[in-house]
PDB file of all heavy atoms in Angstrom:
ATOM      1  N   VAL A   1     -10.216 -71.721   1.743  1.00 98.00           N
ATOM      2  CA  VAL A   1      -8.880 -71.261   2.125  1.00 98.00           C
ATOM      3  C   VAL A   1      -8.616 -69.889   1.519  1.00 98.00           C
ATOM      4  O   VAL A   1      -8.120 -68.978   2.189  1.00 98.00           O
ATOM      5  CB  VAL A   1      -7.802 -72.281   1.705  1.00 98.00           C
ATOM      6  CG1 VAL A   1      -6.404 -71.678   1.782  1.00 98.00           C
ATOM      7  CG2 VAL A   1      -7.887 -73.528   2.565  1.00 98.00           C
ATOM      8  N   LEU A   2      -8.966 -69.708   0.262  1.00 98.00           N
ATOM      9  CA  LEU A   2      -8.758 -68.414  -0.393  1.00 98.00           C
ATOM     10  C   LEU A   2      -9.649 -67.329   0.210  1.00 98.00           C
ATOM     11  O   LEU A   2      -9.205 -66.193   0.419  1.00 98.00           O
ATOM     12  CB  LEU A   2      -8.994 -68.534  -1.896  1.00 98.00           C
ATOM     13  CG  LEU A   2      -7.968 -69.399  -2.635  1.00 98.00           C
ATOM     14  CD1 LEU A   2      -8.401 -69.638  -4.079  1.00 98.00           C
ATOM     15  CD2 LEU A   2      -6.584 -68.768  -2.581  1.00 98.00           C
ATOM     16  N   LEU A   3     -10.894 -67.669   0.517  1.00 98.00           N
ATOM     17  CA  LEU A   3     -11.801 -66.695   1.125  1.00 98.00           C
ATOM     18  C   LEU A   3     -11.331 -66.279   2.514  1.00 98.00           C
ATOM     19  O   LEU A   3     -11.353 -65.090   2.860  1.00 98.00           O
ATOM     20  CB  LEU A   3     -13.228 -67.249   1.189  1.00 98.00           C
ATOM     21  CG  LEU A   3     -13.969 -67.296  -0.141  1.00 98.00           C
ATOM     22  CD1 LEU A   3     -15.227 -68.157  -0.015  1.00 98.00           C
ATOM     23  CD2 LEU A   3     -14.325 -65.896  -0.627  1.00 98.00           C
ATOM     24  N   ARG A   4     -10.878 -67.240   3.326  1.00 97.00           N
ATOM     25  CA  ARG A   4     -10.367 -66.904   4.656  1.00 97.00           C
ATOM     26  C   ARG A   4      -9.113 -66.025   4.567  1.00 97.00           C
ATOM     27  O   ARG A   4      -8.947 -65.081   5.339  1.00 97.00           O
ATOM     28  CB  ARG A   4     -10.066 -68.173   5.454  1.00 97.00           C
ATOM     29  CG  ARG A   4     -11.282 -68.719   6.140  1.00 97.00           C
ATOM     30  CD  ARG A   4     -10.905 -69.822   7.139  1.00 97.00           C
ATOM     31  NE  ARG A   4     -11.723 -70.973   6.810  1.00 97.00           N
ATOM     32  CZ  ARG A   4     -11.305 -72.076   6.237  1.00 97.00           C
ATOM     33  NH1 ARG A   4     -10.048 -72.259   5.959  1.00 97.00           N
ATOM     34  NH2 ARG A   4     -12.134 -73.059   5.958  1.00 97.00           N
ATOM     35  N   THR A   5      -8.252 -66.352   3.622  1.00 97.00           N
ATOM     36  CA  THR A   5      -7.038 -65.547   3.439  1.00 97.00           C
ATOM     37  C   THR A   5      -7.410 -64.140   3.009  1.00 97.00           C
ATOM     38  O   THR A   5      -6.836 -63.162   3.485  1.00 97.00           O
ATOM     39  CB  THR A   5      -6.113 -66.211   2.402  1.00 97.00           C
ATOM     40  OG1 THR A   5      -5.776 -67.523   2.867  1.00 97.00           O
ATOM     41  CG2 THR A   5      -4.844 -65.394   2.193  1.00 97.00           C
ATOM     42  N   ARG A   6      -8.385 -64.031   2.119  1.00 97.00           N
ATOM     43  CA  ARG A   6      -8.867 -62.712   1.683  1.00 97.00           C
ATOM     44  C   ARG A   6      -9.347 -61.889   2.874  1.00 97.00           C
ATOM     45  O   ARG A   6      -8.990 -60.720   3.019  1.00 97.00           O
ATOM     46  CB  ARG A   6      -9.995 -62.880   0.665  1.00 97.00           C
ATOM     47  CG  ARG A   6     -10.601 -61.590   0.224  1.00 97.00           C
ATOM     48  CD  ARG A   6     -11.893 -61.818  -0.594  1.00 97.00           C
ATOM     49  NE  ARG A   6     -12.617 -60.584  -0.696  1.00 97.00           N
ATOM     50  CZ  ARG A   6     -13.498 -60.136   0.189  1.00 97.00           C
ATOM     51  NH1 ARG A   6     -13.783 -60.850   1.255  1.00 97.00           N
ATOM     52  NH2 ARG A   6     -14.104 -58.991   0.024  1.00 97.00           N
ATOM     53  N   LEU A   7     -10.155 -62.484   3.744  1.00 97.00           N
ATOM     54  CA  LEU A   7     -10.666 -61.766   4.917  1.00 97.00           C
ATOM     55  C   LEU A   7      -9.536 -61.328   5.846  1.00 97.00           C
ATOM     56  O   LEU A   7      -9.533 -60.206   6.355  1.00 97.00           O
ATOM     57  CB  LEU A   7     -11.674 -62.624   5.679  1.00 97.00           C
ATOM     58  CG  LEU A   7     -13.019 -62.814   5.003  1.00 97.00           C
ATOM     59  CD1 LEU A   7     -13.888 -63.788   5.802  1.00 97.00           C
ATOM     60  CD2 LEU A   7     -13.740 -61.480   4.824  1.00 97.00           C
ATOM     61  N   ARG A   8      -8.568 -62.211   6.046  1.00 96.00           N
ATOM     62  CA  ARG A   8      -7.426 -61.865   6.908  1.00 96.00           C
ATOM     63  C   ARG A   8      -6.645 -60.701   6.334  1.00 96.00           C
ATOM     64  O   ARG A   8      -6.333 -59.739   7.037  1.00 96.00           O
ATOM     65  CB  ARG A   8      -6.507 -63.079   7.101  1.00 96.00           C
ATOM     66  CG  ARG A   8      -5.290 -62.768   7.993  1.00 96.00           C
ATOM     67  CD  ARG A   8      -4.356 -63.954   8.118  1.00 96.00           C
ATOM     68  NE  ARG A   8      -3.853 -64.467   6.880  1.00 96.00           N
ATOM     69  CZ  ARG A   8      -2.841 -63.934   6.174  1.00 96.00           C
ATOM     70  NH1 ARG A   8      -2.243 -62.835   6.595  1.00 96.00           N
ATOM     71  NH2 ARG A   8      -2.429 -64.499   5.060  1.00 96.00           N
ATOM     72  N   LEU A   9      -6.359 -60.766   5.042  1.00 96.00           N
ATOM     73  CA  LEU A   9      -5.601 -59.686   4.423  1.00 96.00           C
ATOM     74  C   LEU A   9      -6.390 -58.378   4.388  1.00 96.00           C
ATOM     75  O   LEU A   9      -5.815 -57.310   4.607  1.00 96.00           O
ATOM     76  CB  LEU A   9      -5.132 -60.069   3.020  1.00 96.00           C
ATOM     77  CG  LEU A   9      -3.665 -60.494   2.947  1.00 96.00           C
ATOM     78  CD1 LEU A   9      -3.403 -61.750   3.710  1.00 96.00           C
ATOM     79  CD2 LEU A   9      -3.196 -60.584   1.532  1.00 96.00           C
ATOM     80  N   LEU A  10      -7.676 -58.451   4.128  1.00 96.00           N
ATOM     81  CA  LEU A  10      -8.493 -57.238   4.148  1.00 96.00           C
ATOM     82  C   LEU A  10      -8.434 -56.562   5.514  1.00 96.00           C
ATOM     83  O   LEU A  10      -8.325 -55.335   5.608  1.00 96.00           O
ATOM     84  CB  LEU A  10      -9.945 -57.545   3.781  1.00 96.00           C
ATOM     85  CG  LEU A  10     -10.266 -57.674   2.305  1.00 96.00           C
ATOM     86  CD1 LEU A  10     -11.729 -58.069   2.119  1.00 96.00           C
ATOM     87  CD2 LEU A  10      -9.978 -56.380   1.557  1.00 96.00           C
ATOM     88  N   ALA A  11      -8.502 -57.360   6.579  1.00 96.00           N
ATOM     89  CA  ALA A  11      -8.434 -56.814   7.939  1.00 96.00           C
ATOM     90  C   ALA A  11      -7.094 -56.134   8.202  1.00 96.00           C
ATOM     91  O   ALA A  11      -7.009 -55.219   9.024  1.00 96.00           O
ATOM     92  CB  ALA A  11      -8.679 -57.925   8.959  1.00 96.00           C
ATOM     93  N   GLU A  12      -6.063 -56.567   7.479  1.00 95.00           N
ATOM     94  CA  GLU A  12      -4.720 -55.987   7.638  1.00 95.00           C
ATOM     95  C   GLU A  12      -4.424 -54.925   6.584  1.00 95.00           C
ATOM     96  O   GLU A  12      -3.316 -54.425   6.489  1.00 95.00           O
ATOM     97  CB  GLU A  12      -3.684 -57.113   7.541  1.00 95.00           C
ATOM     98  CG  GLU A  12      -3.822 -58.163   8.631  1.00 95.00           C
ATOM     99  CD  GLU A  12      -2.976 -59.402   8.393  1.00 95.00           C
ATOM    100  OE1 GLU A  12      -2.254 -59.473   7.375  1.00 95.00           O
ATOM    101  OE2 GLU A  12      -3.058 -60.321   9.223  1.00 95.00           O
ATOM    102  N   GLY A  13      -5.423 -54.617   5.742  1.00 95.00           N
ATOM    103  CA  GLY A  13      -5.232 -53.622   4.693  1.00 95.00           C
ATOM    104  C   GLY A  13      -4.685 -54.183   3.399  1.00 95.00           C
ATOM    105  O   GLY A  13      -4.254 -53.434   2.529  1.00 95.00           O
ATOM    106  N   GLY A  14      -4.696 -55.504   3.240  1.00 95.00           N
ATOM    107  CA  GLY A  14      -4.155 -56.139   2.047  1.00 95.00           C
ATOM    108  C   GLY A  14      -5.229 -56.722   1.148  1.00 95.00           C
ATOM    109  O   GLY A  14      -6.425 -56.504   1.353  1.00 95.00           O
ATOM    110  N   HIS A  15      -4.781 -57.481   0.135  1.00 95.00           N
ATOM    111  CA  HIS A  15      -5.690 -58.047  -0.857  1.00 95.00           C
ATOM    112  C   HIS A  15      -5.207 -59.410  -1.342  1.00 95.00           C
ATOM    113  O   HIS A  15      -4.009 -59.664  -1.401  1.00 95.00           O
ATOM    114  CB  HIS A  15      -5.785 -57.152  -2.098  1.00 95.00           C
ATOM    115  CG  HIS A  15      -6.366 -55.817  -1.825  1.00 95.00           C
ATOM    116  ND1 HIS A  15      -7.700 -55.597  -1.713  1.00 95.00           N
ATOM    117  CD2 HIS A  15      -5.772 -54.616  -1.625  1.00 95.00           C
ATOM    118  CE1 HIS A  15      -7.922 -54.318  -1.462  1.00 95.00           C
ATOM    119  NE2 HIS A  15      -6.763 -53.708  -1.401  1.00 95.00           N
ATOM    120  N   VAL A  16      -6.169 -60.243  -1.727  1.00 97.00           N
ATOM    121  CA  VAL A  16      -5.896 -61.463  -2.473  1.00 97.00           C
ATOM    122  C   VAL A  16      -6.575 -61.289  -3.818  1.00 97.00           C
ATOM    123  O   VAL A  16      -7.772 -60.988  -3.882  1.00 97.00           O
ATOM    124  CB  VAL A  16      -6.460 -62.729  -1.775  1.00 97.00           C
ATOM    125  CG1 VAL A  16      -6.272 -63.951  -2.657  1.00 97.00           C
ATOM    126  CG2 VAL A  16      -5.799 -62.936  -0.422  1.00 97.00           C
ATOM    127  N   ASP A  17      -5.815 -61.416  -4.876  1.00 98.00           N
ATOM    128  CA  ASP A  17      -6.348 -61.268  -6.227  1.00 98.00           C
ATOM    129  C   ASP A  17      -6.167 -62.574  -6.991  1.00 98.00           C
ATOM    130  O   ASP A  17      -5.247 -63.348  -6.717  1.00 98.00           O
ATOM    131  CB  ASP A  17      -5.616 -60.146  -6.977  1.00 98.00           C
ATOM    132  CG  ASP A  17      -5.805 -58.796  -6.299  1.00 98.00           C
ATOM    133  OD1 ASP A  17      -6.893 -58.557  -5.738  1.00 98.00           O
ATOM    134  OD2 ASP A  17      -4.864 -57.979  -6.331  1.00 98.00           O
ATOM    135  N   LEU A  18      -7.054 -62.794  -7.949  1.00 98.00           N
ATOM    136  CA  LEU A  18      -7.005 -63.995  -8.781  1.00 98.00           C
ATOM    137  C   LEU A  18      -6.606 -63.613 -10.195  1.00 98.00           C
ATOM    138  O   LEU A  18      -6.998 -62.557 -10.691  1.00 98.00           O
ATOM    139  CB  LEU A  18      -8.377 -64.676  -8.811  1.00 98.00           C
ATOM    140  CG  LEU A  18      -8.991 -65.009  -7.458  1.00 98.00           C
ATOM    141  CD1 LEU A  18     -10.400 -65.551  -7.644  1.00 98.00           C
ATOM    142  CD2 LEU A  18      -8.124 -65.994  -6.690  1.00 98.00           C
ATOM    143  N   ALA A  19      -5.855 -64.472 -10.848  1.00 98.00           N
ATOM    144  CA  ALA A  19      -5.435 -64.215 -12.226  1.00 98.00           C
ATOM    145  C   ALA A  19      -5.541 -65.502 -13.037  1.00 98.00           C
ATOM    146  O   ALA A  19      -5.283 -66.593 -12.524  1.00 98.00           O
ATOM    147  CB  ALA A  19      -3.995 -63.701 -12.258  1.00 98.00           C
ATOM    148  N   GLY A  20      -5.944 -65.367 -14.291  1.00 98.00           N
ATOM    149  CA  GLY A  20      -5.924 -66.483 -15.220  1.00 98.00           C
ATOM    150  C   GLY A  20      -6.932 -67.579 -14.928  1.00 98.00           C
ATOM    151  O   GLY A  20      -6.655 -68.749 -15.205  1.00 98.00           O
ATOM    152  N   LEU A  21      -8.096 -67.229 -14.398  1.00 98.00           N
ATOM    153  CA  LEU A  21      -9.106 -68.256 -14.107  1.00 98.00           C
ATOM    154  C   LEU A  21      -9.576 -68.926 -15.385  1.00 98.00           C
ATOM    155  O   LEU A  21     -10.071 -68.270 -16.298  1.00 98.00           O
ATOM    156  CB  LEU A  21     -10.311 -67.640 -13.403  1.00 98.00           C
ATOM    157  CG  LEU A  21     -10.114 -67.222 -11.960  1.00 98.00           C
ATOM    158  CD1 LEU A  21     -11.299 -66.381 -11.490  1.00 98.00           C
ATOM    159  CD2 LEU A  21      -9.927 -68.434 -11.070  1.00 98.00           C
ATOM    160  N   ARG A  22      -9.435 -70.242 -15.437  1.00 96.00           N
ATOM    161  CA  ARG A  22      -9.924 -71.018 -16.583  1.00 96.00           C
ATOM    162  C   ARG A  22     -11.392 -71.337 -16.361  1.00 96.00           C
ATOM    163  O   ARG A  22     -11.865 -71.363 -15.217  1.00 96.00           O
ATOM    164  CB  ARG A  22      -9.096 -72.286 -16.726  1.00 96.00           C
ATOM    165  CG  ARG A  22      -7.657 -71.964 -17.129  1.00 96.00           C
ATOM    166  CD  ARG A  22      -6.712 -73.096 -16.999  1.00 96.00           C
ATOM    167  NE  ARG A  22      -7.247 -74.369 -17.460  1.00 96.00           N
ATOM    168  CZ  ARG A  22      -6.520 -75.454 -17.609  1.00 96.00           C
ATOM    169  NH1 ARG A  22      -5.239 -75.424 -17.341  1.00 96.00           N
ATOM    170  NH2 ARG A  22      -7.053 -76.585 -18.014  1.00 96.00           N
ATOM    171  N   PRO A  23     -12.161 -71.603 -17.423  1.00 96.00           N
ATOM    172  CA  PRO A  23     -13.616 -71.789 -17.286  1.00 96.00           C
ATOM    173  C   PRO A  23     -14.072 -72.754 -16.192  1.00 96.00           C
ATOM    174  O   PRO A  23     -14.971 -72.398 -15.416  1.00 96.00           O
ATOM    175  CB  PRO A  23     -14.045 -72.250 -18.685  1.00 96.00           C
ATOM    176  CG  PRO A  23     -13.068 -71.570 -19.595  1.00 96.00           C
ATOM    177  CD  PRO A  23     -11.750 -71.617 -18.835  1.00 96.00           C
ATOM    178  N   PRO A  24     -13.496 -73.948 -16.046  1.00 93.00           N
ATOM    179  CA  PRO A  24     -14.013 -74.841 -14.994  1.00 93.00           C
ATOM    180  C   PRO A  24     -13.827 -74.276 -13.579  1.00 93.00           C
ATOM    181  O   PRO A  24     -14.692 -74.430 -12.726  1.00 93.00           O
ATOM    182  CB  PRO A  24     -13.202 -76.127 -15.163  1.00 93.00           C
ATOM    183  CG  PRO A  24     -12.579 -76.049 -16.502  1.00 93.00           C
ATOM    184  CD  PRO A  24     -12.449 -74.595 -16.835  1.00 93.00           C
ATOM    185  N   VAL A  25     -12.705 -73.620 -13.347  1.00 97.00           N
ATOM    186  CA  VAL A  25     -12.428 -73.046 -12.032  1.00 97.00           C
ATOM    187  C   VAL A  25     -13.220 -71.756 -11.857  1.00 97.00           C
ATOM    188  O   VAL A  25     -13.801 -71.505 -10.791  1.00 97.00           O
ATOM    189  CB  VAL A  25     -10.913 -72.814 -11.843  1.00 97.00           C
ATOM    190  CG1 VAL A  25     -10.629 -72.105 -10.531  1.00 97.00           C
ATOM    191  CG2 VAL A  25     -10.170 -74.138 -11.919  1.00 97.00           C
ATOM    192  N   ARG A  26     -13.277 -70.949 -12.890  1.00 97.00           N
ATOM    193  CA  ARG A  26     -14.052 -69.715 -12.838  1.00 97.00           C
ATOM    194  C   ARG A  26     -15.504 -70.010 -12.470  1.00 97.00           C
ATOM    195  O   ARG A  26     -16.136 -69.272 -11.710  1.00 97.00           O
ATOM    196  CB  ARG A  26     -13.976 -68.985 -14.181  1.00 97.00           C
ATOM    197  CG  ARG A  26     -14.673 -67.656 -14.178  1.00 97.00           C
ATOM    198  CD  ARG A  26     -14.531 -66.956 -15.555  1.00 97.00           C
ATOM    199  NE  ARG A  26     -14.861 -65.578 -15.426  1.00 97.00           N
ATOM    200  CZ  ARG A  26     -14.039 -64.623 -15.015  1.00 97.00           C
ATOM    201  NH1 ARG A  26     -12.788 -64.916 -14.720  1.00 97.00           N
ATOM    202  NH2 ARG A  26     -14.441 -63.383 -14.907  1.00 97.00           N
ATOM    203  N   ARG A  27     -16.019 -71.108 -12.972  1.00 96.00           N
ATOM    204  CA  ARG A  27     -17.420 -71.473 -12.735  1.00 96.00           C
ATOM    205  C   ARG A  27     -17.705 -71.663 -11.248  1.00 96.00           C
ATOM    206  O   ARG A  27     -18.729 -71.206 -10.753  1.00 96.00           O
ATOM    207  CB  ARG A  27     -17.754 -72.754 -13.520  1.00 96.00           C
ATOM    208  CG  ARG A  27     -19.187 -73.161 -13.395  1.00 96.00           C
ATOM    209  CD  ARG A  27     -20.065 -72.299 -14.291  1.00 96.00           C
ATOM    210  NE  ARG A  27     -21.434 -72.764 -14.165  1.00 96.00           N
ATOM    211  CZ  ARG A  27     -22.460 -71.977 -13.868  1.00 96.00           C
ATOM    212  NH1 ARG A  27     -22.284 -70.687 -13.733  1.00 96.00           N
ATOM    213  NH2 ARG A  27     -23.649 -72.473 -13.762  1.00 96.00           N
ATOM    214  N   ILE A  28     -16.814 -72.304 -10.501  1.00 96.00           N
ATOM    215  CA  ILE A  28     -17.044 -72.511  -9.071  1.00 96.00           C
ATOM    216  C   ILE A  28     -17.061 -71.170  -8.338  1.00 96.00           C
ATOM    217  O   ILE A  28     -17.844 -70.963  -7.416  1.00 96.00           O
ATOM    218  CB  ILE A  28     -16.041 -73.500  -8.437  1.00 96.00           C
ATOM    219  CG1 ILE A  28     -16.426 -73.850  -6.992  1.00 96.00           C
ATOM    220  CG2 ILE A  28     -14.639 -72.952  -8.397  1.00 96.00           C
ATOM    221  CD1 ILE A  28     -17.571 -74.777  -6.868  1.00 96.00           C
TER     222      ILE A  28
END
């Protein structure tokens, strides 16, 4: 879901950014 949203926003000139990734989530 996040990757698809990133692609959509990039196509529109936007961005999806991540903040505060904890180790278990960062690992994926």
Side-chain angles (χ1 to χ4, degrees):
V1 166
L2 293 171
L3 286 167
R4 276 191 233 107
T5 301
R6 177 190 165 273
L7 288 175
R8 180 183 57 79
L9 259 65
L10 279 176
E12 298 169 0
H15 296 280
V16 174
D17 298 326
L18 306 174
L21 287 169
R22 293 167 42 170
V25 175
R26 184 179 196 83
R27 183 78 178 127
I28 188 75

